[in-house]
Structures are given as structure tokens and as C-alpha cells.
Amino acid sequence: MEIRIGGFGGQGIIRTGLILATASCVYGDKNAIQTASYGPESRGGRCRSEVIISDEDIDFPKVEHPDILVAMSEEAYLQYVDDLKENGILIVDPDLVPNQRENLEVRMYEVPATKIAEGLGKKIVANVVMIGAFAAITNLLGVEDLKESIRRNVPKAFMKLNLTAFEKGYEYGKSLLKS
Amino acid sequence: MTVHREVLTGKHLMQGDVACAEGAIAAGCRFFAGYPITPATEIAERMARRMIEVDGMFVQMEDELASMAAIIGASWAGAKAMTATSGPGFSLMQENIGLAVMTETPCVVVNIMRGAPSTGQPTEGAQQDVMQSKWGSHGDYEIIALAPASVQEMFDLTIECFNFAETYRAPTFLLADGFTGHLWERVVIPPPEEIKTVERKKPVVPPDKYLPFKPDEDLVPPMACFGEGYSVHVTGLTHDELGYPKTTDPKIQRELVNRLCQKIRKNSDRIIRTYEFMLEDAEVAVVAYGIPSRSSLSAVKMARKAGIKAGLLRLITVWPFPEKKVEELSNNVKAIVVPEMNCGQVVREVERVAKETPVHFLSKIGGEPHSPSEIFEVIRRAAKT
């Protein structure tokens, strides 16, 4: 399963990939790889994280045509949406991607992760809201494995906030599946 | 109180650079001197935090010339020592790498290769420093360089580098592409008792009988470090067995420089590591190292599915070059394919030993490794010729 997450520096895009990969290969029993690409600037620049999850050994570690695309900026959306496999899963933060394309052959889910995170008082946990929604929509990783992974990957002082963000995202994702 | 462990036994998702630092610590490295540079900075960062936890020493130096000098000094003081850099820093280290060769100083130099020449592409991976590793410092010498292709190997081969450095008293290189250095992947770190480490040979004679540069049968002299009660003179000038400069005696220069080369060449069977995949009946063989070897593995599997008898020889040891292995291979296949993230370096060595067998070179620079389909296309063409 190949996943690409795109956004800009400072959103926790790379951390998101690491949380998914840790959940898969440290707490879960799958193999996982995370690669990232970013410019020299630490905030605001283009940023991309790719995760491959597999039951087998992973030979080639790069994603060419993702099964799942998470777009957290319009630039990432426009750049990567055509790479997505046919009938792949596209998860978009609609407030960050106001201008979306029509008639895409994909399964589309809109998750207002940034707005939900703002509601929790910290915009910075939008990526963890997205992980929650991702978990519900894809059913790819164990919820407990993901929570363990979040505990390992975020600072102690913000653990509770991040776990709440995960729950909120998970609930939102579940509600999308019902509708 | 937190108990700091020297070996982080267990299962981790780790970055290649970090796994390299942990491998060094597990091998017994207790001195790191370096100057941060992308994409090797994470090694220095990790060492800065970890050295203090394991009673080691971390020094951020003023530059890479000094970094190399510092690890030579630390090694002579008895420590296992390492530095880590990328292309621009590796260039600055060359002079003192020669000093480490000439003074037979065990030490490990990590080069996480990025796009070059000059400052090139800091955040993009490449394999452009392979020939520089062999020939970068002036004069004739042999070098040991290992090329990891996974995060697990960033850990395992860093340990191997220390073991070779200690065994052969030579600077040893971990030559990784920036892609592997920045890759995050699962690493399994074994318990300390399962990690094989090697310590340098010590003199067995009393100080008045000790000749610091008189080799044993394996061509490696036992090494007394400073403070151990032996008198040692260390110089980059051509020296006799006592270590004193003898710069105009042709016999001494001949014997010394030949021995520095021969101690690696004669032991190359012990140093060379390769990985073979489906070579038994292969008609087309891919010879690759580092990250392109993983694209190659996928490409070979694609070729097999398409009915082409392809196989892979992955070079884990790049220097000394596994020439016997490649020569044997060239006698058994119709063609060889060499993908590299440079404009053609190891391919020259392959061509040198493959003689009549056609060698197809596939260059890729810019940062992205070869895709499996790009290599597959060349295998397919090579199979037809």
C-alpha cells in the first residue's frame, strides 16, 4: 500500500508519515518505509512524505502511483492528484484546497482537519486529526498501534491534545463513511 | 534516573543516518568529531546527544580538515573514532585521510553522498564520490568502502567499518547515498552479546623491543597507543619500522607503500561482501550498489516475470572492488547492466574486468533514484543483443 502526504513545511507532514510508518512496523507486524522530500527552508516550503506499507520486503522504496493521497495544500493537490491510482483514496482538507478538480476517478473524502484542530485550540495538530480520519477511512492500521505511535512521536506535554485530535479525526472519518 | 544504553536492542523505525550513529556506538565508537552538513547532519546530531550518554566525546569542529585530524588523534589516544560528512566536507578531508593511511590509523569516515560537484544539491542523494573515495588523497593506497542499501545496513555496516578499520589499521569508509541516509525504515538492533566487535592488536613485546611499524605476517603492525608505556613516533613522511622519517631510501618507500596496499589487497577475500539474487542461470546481470540496487532488485523480478533470465549482483563492498566476482560473472552472462546515480564511476571498474562482455550503463543524476521500470527497459534491451 503506497501513501503520499503533501503539504507545506511546518504542518507536520513528515511527522505524519513517521507516525503511520511506526504504527505499521514497530507496533504492527508489517514492513514500512518513509521517505520525504522538502526544500532547504524549514517552514512554508513544499513538503512531501511517502509511506509504503507491505507484508513483504520492500525493494524499491519510492512511491510512483499512490493508493492513497492526503492533500494538505492546494499546491500538493494539484501536483499529485494525477499520480493517484484509479479508484484510489483521496483525502483533502477542503479549507486548504479551495479549488478542486471535478470528475476525478477516485474515492474522495473531505476532512476539515485544520478547522477541527483550531476548534481544539491548536492548529498545529491538524496533521493528527488527519491521521485519525485516515485510520477510519482506510482501516489500514490498528487504532491502538496508531495511538502508541502518536505517544512515541509527540512531546509529552502535548500527548493528551494529540490523542484528542486523533479521536476527533477518527470520529469525523467514521461519519464520512456512514453518509 | 534514566539508564542510558549503549546498544538500543529492539525494533525501531529509524532514519539511516541515526542507524549509522547507533551502529557506531554499538561498535564501540566513543569519539566523534565533525562539522554538520546535509544530508549527514543527523549523524552529528545523534552523536552530540548520545556520546555524552555513553561516556564518549563529541566535538563540533571548525571544519572538516580539523574533524579528520581530530579523529586521527583520538584513535592514537586509544578511542574508536568516527567523523561524518557529505561531498564538500569529504573533499576537505582528503589530505588528512592520506595521513590516516600513512600512519595506519584505524578510523571511520562516513560520507552521505549528495549531488555534486561543489556544494551541488544539499538535500538530494547521489553516488558521485565513489572514485574520490578510492583516489581522493594523493599517492597510492588501498581503501575499504562499504555501500549500505537499507537502514538496517546503515547500522550493520557501520559496525563492519569499525571492525575492518581496527583489523587492518586503515581509515574505512561508509559510502552511502543521501537517499539511504535520509530513509526511514525498520531496524532490528540485536542484544549486545550478539554484536561482533573487533579491537586493534596490541604489542606483545616489552617497550624496548617494540617496533611500531613492523608488521606481523598479516602485514598489519600491532598498535600501541599513547599512554600505554610505549614510545611511538607518528609521521606522514615515509618512515622505517621504528617510525622515523627515511625519505630518500627507495627501499623503505617501496616496502612501506607496497605494504599499505597489500595489507588490503591480500585480505580482499575477507573484506569483500556481495549479495546475489537469481544469478545461477542469469543471462543478463545487473551490478549495482546502494539505493539503485533496490530498484534493480525490483527490475530483476519484473524481468523474470517477463521471461528474461536476469539476476543481480549487489556490491556491499565497493572498495576493494570485487573484481574476481565480477569477472566470473562476466564469463557466465551475455550482458551486464550497471545503474549508478552518477555519470559513470563503478561502471569503469566493471568494464575493466568484464572485457568482452557488453556493459550497459544507466546514469541517473538529479536526486531521484532509478525507477525499476527504467532498469527493466535496459535489461530487456540487453537481453536482445
Side-chain angles (χ1 to χ4, degrees):
Chain A
M1 191 61 76
E2 302 190 352
I3 304 156
R4 181 178 292 164
I5 307 148
F8 41 83
Q11 280 181 315
I13 298 293
I14 292 172
R15 184 58 56 187
T16 303
L18 293 177
I19 288 170
L20 297 180
T22 305
S24 320
C25 80
V26 177
Y27 299 111
D29 54 5
K30 291 173 158 62
N31 286 311
I33 266 188
Q34 195 272 158
T35 57
S37 125
Y38 49 90
E41 58 282 88
S42 61
R43 281 182 189 80
R46 187 164 58 87
C47 181
R48 176 181 86 187
S49 171
E50 295 179 338
V51 180
I52 304 176
I53 297 169
S54 174
D55 290 322
E56 285 157 34
D57 286 342
I58 300 165
D59 299 336
F60 181 59
K62 281 201 68 71
V63 169
E64 290 182 278
H65 297 288
D67 302 278
I68 304 167
L69 172 65
V70 179
M72 292 188 68
S73 78
E74 188 154 295
E75 196 189 344
Y77 175 90
L78 292 173
Q79 195 174 2
Y80 303 132
V81 74
D82 289 326
D83 293 343
L84 193 58
K85 272 189 195 137
E86 198 170 310
N87 214 23
I89 295 177
L90 173 62
I91 307 176
V92 176
D93 186 330
D95 300 304
L96 302 175
V97 189
N99 302 304
Q100 292 183 33
R101 299 242 306 270
E102 280 165 27
N103 306 323
L104 292 170
E105 295 284 321
V106 297
R107 285 172 283 164
M108 232 276 282
Y109 299 90
E110 292 195 339
V111 179
T114 308
K115 227 175 233 166
I116 294 172
E118 277 166 357
L120 294 170
K122 279 242 184 265
K123 197 170 141 183
I124 199 159
V125 294
N127 63 330
V128 180
V129 174
M130 209 42 128
I131 291 169
F134 176 96
I137 293 164
T138 64
N139 205 19
L140 188 63
L141 298 167
V143 168
E144 286 312 311
D145 295 339
L146 276 164
K147 283 188 186 167
E148 270 308 306
S149 176
I150 290 168
R151 286 188 194 103
R152 183 159 166 158
N153 274 288
V154 303
K156 269 210 179 79
F158 299 104
M159 188 112 71
K160 216 174 141 211
L161 173 69
N162 276 284
L163 289 171
T164 310
F166 176 81
E167 294 291 352
K168 289 280 177 208
Y170 190 79
E171 282 165 26
Y172 195 91
K174 279 280 178 215
S175 74
L176 286 180
L177 292 180
K178 274 182 206 142
S179 57
Chain B
M1 217 179 90
T2 322
V3 180
H4 295 303
R5 284 180 300 162
E6 296 175 354
V7 179
L8 302 182
T9 305
K11 202 162 72 167
H12 308 265
L13 179 78
M14 216 174 242
Q15 194 191 39
D17 280 357
V18 172
C20 164
E22 289 301 331
I25 294 164
C29 175
R30 291 297 177 270
F31 184 90
F32 182 94
Y35 189 87
I37 180 170
T38 306
T41 301
E42 289 88 346
I43 300 173
E45 275 179 1
R46 183 75 165 195
M47 283 306 220
R49 187 143 50 90
R50 290 279 282 144
M51 275 295 109
I52 204 164
E53 294 178 354
V54 297
D55 291 331
M57 187 182 278
F58 171 91
V59 191
Q60 176 160 336
M61 302 299 298
E62 66 268 37
D63 59 33
E64 288 84 351
L65 283 83
S67 304
M68 193 62 217
I71 67 165
I72 292 173
S75 183
W76 276 99
K80 287 187 181 177
M82 178 170 102
T83 188
T85 189
S86 189
F90 196 52
S91 292
L92 293 175
M93 286 177 183
Q94 292 306 325
E95 181 180 352
N96 281 332
I97 286 171
L99 181 63
V101 168
M102 194 62 150
T103 56
E104 302 184 64
T105 307
C107 56
V108 174
V109 179
V110 180
N111 180 358
I112 310 292
M113 294 179 283
R114 68 189 215 183
S118 190
T119 36
Q121 296 177 288
T123 59
E124 303 294 336
Q127 297 181 310
Q128 293 179 290
D129 309 342
V130 184
M131 281 297 171
Q132 186 189 23
S133 300
K134 176 64 189 78
W135 302 107
S137 198
H138 50 282
D140 286 295
Y141 59 94
E142 291 290 336
I143 211 79
I144 301 170
L146 307 182
S150 66
V151 176
Q152 184 69 49
E153 280 193 342
M154 290 293 286
F155 179 85
D156 295 340
L157 295 185
T158 303
I159 296 173
E160 199 81 75
C161 279
F162 273 97
N163 291 348
F164 284 146
E166 294 287 318
T167 303
Y168 300 109
R169 284 190 62 178
T172 301
F173 300 155
L174 186 80
L175 197 56
D177 49 84
F179 197 91
T180 307
H182 273 176
L183 189 65
W184 288 78
E185 203 170 16
R186 177 161 59 185
V187 177
V188 180
I189 298 183
E193 63 274 14
E194 285 175 23
I195 295 173
K196 184 184 161 258
T197 59
V198 175
E199 310 296 324
R200 62 194 68 165
K201 300 192 277 203
K202 295 280 171 191
V204 289
V205 295
D208 59 323
K209 296 269 180 341
Y210 178 53
L211 292 168
F213 291 92
K214 184 177 163 39
D216 290 338
E217 241 171 64
D218 62 357
L219 302 181
V220 182
M223 183 172 180
C225 290
F226 298 149
E228 291 176 348
Y230 291 80
S231 302
V232 185
H233 186 263
V234 184
T235 175
L237 291 169
T238 295
H239 45 271
D240 60 12
E241 289 180 341
L242 207 54
Y244 290 130
K246 289 281 180 317
T247 60
T248 54
D249 185 335
K251 185 168 167 282
I252 285 180
Q253 162 77 353
R254 234 171 0 241
E255 281 178 3
L256 176 61
V257 176
N258 279 323
R259 182 173 65 75
L260 294 180
C261 294
Q262 288 303 328
K263 72 176 175 181
I264 308 283
R265 283 182 193 160
K266 283 209 164 150
N267 288 302
S268 60
D269 286 346
R270 290 187 186 85
I271 299 166
I272 287 170
R273 308 258 190 283
T274 55
Y275 164 84
E276 295 178 23
F277 178 73
M278 300 201 92
L279 282 178
E280 300 77 22
D281 63 341
E283 290 176 353
V284 178
V286 182
V287 176
Y289 58 97
I291 207 71
S293 69
R294 292 178 69 156
S295 318
S296 302
L297 192 57
S298 293
V300 165
K301 289 177 183 170
M302 285 164 79
R304 286 279 170 174
K305 267 190 200 150
I308 301 166
K309 287 183 177 167
L312 170 69
L313 176 69
R314 178 161 79 86
L315 310 182
I316 298 169
T317 305
V318 176
W319 302 116
F321 184 70
E323 48 191 27
K324 258 192 268 171
K325 200 97 202 168
V326 176
E327 193 180 354
E328 270 171 32
L329 182 67
S330 69
N331 293 330
N332 297 329
V333 296
K334 284 201 322 201
I336 295 177
V337 174
V338 182
E340 290 185 86
M341 290 172 75
N342 56 42
C343 298
Q345 298 199 10
V346 164
V347 67
R348 291 167 180 245
E349 291 292 293
V350 175
E351 283 167 346
R352 179 173 65 82
V353 296
K355 297 189 185 83
E356 305 296 305
T357 311
V359 177
H360 301 255
F361 174 58
L362 183 56
S363 163
K364 183 136 186 189
I365 59 169
E368 298 279 291
H370 307 71
S371 71
S373 46
E374 285 172 332
I375 298 171
F376 169 70
E377 267 312 305
V378 181
I379 294 175
R380 208 171 51 84
R381 264 189 281 135
K384 280 188 192 154
T385 50

